[in-house]
Amino acid sequence: MREILGMRRRLRFRRTGRTEQLRTALTCAVDWQWPVLPGVGLKAAGGRGDRGRGCACPDPECVVPGAHPFDPGLLAATTDERMVRWWWTNRPDAPVVLATGGRAPCAVSLPAVAGARALSVLDDWGMRLGPVVATPTRLALLVAPYGLEQLGELLYTKDSVPSSLRFHGEGGYLMLPPSVVGTGQVRWERPPLPGSAKPWLPDVEAVVDALVDASASAPGGGSRLAY
């Protein structure tokens, strides 16, 4: 009886997780018109003695396990409801990948410790922020779409820009909750406001100074690149 009850709980948990991922993908694609696609995900858990779940892609040395597109590729990202439903019906555990840039949000990400410091500074400034995505190792602030020329002009004025600071613009991507990647669970540090027609996003100019300064002052220069 205990085994049956345990199995039911596990099945209920899996169904809930799968429903949540599909719901997130549909909300982004259909309600907010953010193009999404399923990420590569992680290999299925092995048996006794398994040392961890690596990336499901063919690269045994993948440096961002589970946290990137593979098949389909990034260019397949779409807002089409039928395609989104088909993808997550066939791969219900797939991570949700946002294709950044264009009319979709862009993002700026940095190591978790530096990110927490930057959020504190921005809060002290009274800065209005949009959604913030977190993994165990990094924090990503979603911002309004920006172009490479605009970004280049912003960064040109800086004495230096830490290598750990990443800009997810045109041709880039970002993993969204409730995805699970090699470093752990992707979650909302600052979730989109419930009931919003589309999440409000700050301009990159409003946050880049705090993010650069926080990354530069992080231990070791904030150079950790793990997703």
Side-chain angles (χ1 to χ4, degrees):
M1 176 63 74
R2 289 181 179 175
E3 290 181 359
I4 294 175
L5 290 175
M7 184 177 296
R8 287 178 177 173
R9 290 193 188 100
R10 288 193 295 271
L11 287 172
R12 187 160 56 245
F13 175 80
R14 289 172 184 170
R15 288 179 187 137
T16 301
R18 290 170 179 175
T19 300
E20 188 178 356
Q21 284 170 307
L22 175 58
R23 186 186 304 121
T24 296
L26 287 173
T27 297
C28 292
V30 180
D31 296 345
W32 301 342
Q33 291 296 292
W34 294 359
V36 296
L37 74 160
V40 64
L42 300 171
K43 292 179 181 177
R48 183 177 300 177
D50 185 9
R51 296 188 177 182
R53 298 173 62 190
C55 189
C57 77
D59 182 3
E61 304 298 327
C62 181
V63 295
V64 285
H68 63 90
F70 176 65
D71 185 15
L74 186 61
L75 292 178
T78 184
T79 59
D80 182 77
E81 179 177 355
R82 291 174 298 177
M83 192 73 247
V84 170
R85 287 188 182 277
W86 186 86
W87 276 333
W88 271 274
T89 297
N90 287 277
R91 295 182 55 204
D93 293 323
V96 181
V97 180
L98 167 68
T100 54
R103 296 183 178 180
C106 291
V108 184
S109 68
L110 65 170
V113 173
R117 183 181 294 114
L119 288 183
S120 178
V121 170
L122 291 168
D123 287 340
D124 289 344
W125 290 352
M127 185 70 64
R128 182 185 178 190
L129 298 177
V132 179
V133 174
T135 72
T137 57
R138 295 188 69 83
L139 226 62
L141 283 73
L142 271 65
V143 296
Y146 56 72
L148 289 178
E149 182 177 352
Q150 176 189 5
L151 181 62
E153 291 175 354
L154 282 174
L155 299 182
Y156 180 75
T157 62
K158 309 298 178 189
D159 292 334
S160 64
V161 178
S163 62
S164 60
L165 198 63
R166 298 184 196 167
F167 296 90
H168 308 256
E170 185 75 33
Y173 64 89
L174 187 71
M175 311 302 294
L176 295 180
S179 305
V180 177
V181 296
T183 55
Q185 179 74 51
V186 183
R187 61 179 177 82
W188 293 112
E189 177 71 21
R190 304 278 178 93
L193 294 177
S196 301
K198 180 181 285 191
W200 179 87
L201 301 169
D203 291 331
V204 67
E205 296 96 323
V207 301
V208 71
D209 285 346
L211 301 184
V212 169
D213 291 345
S215 294
S217 61
S223 61
R224 185 174 182 179
L225 292 179
Y227 188 90

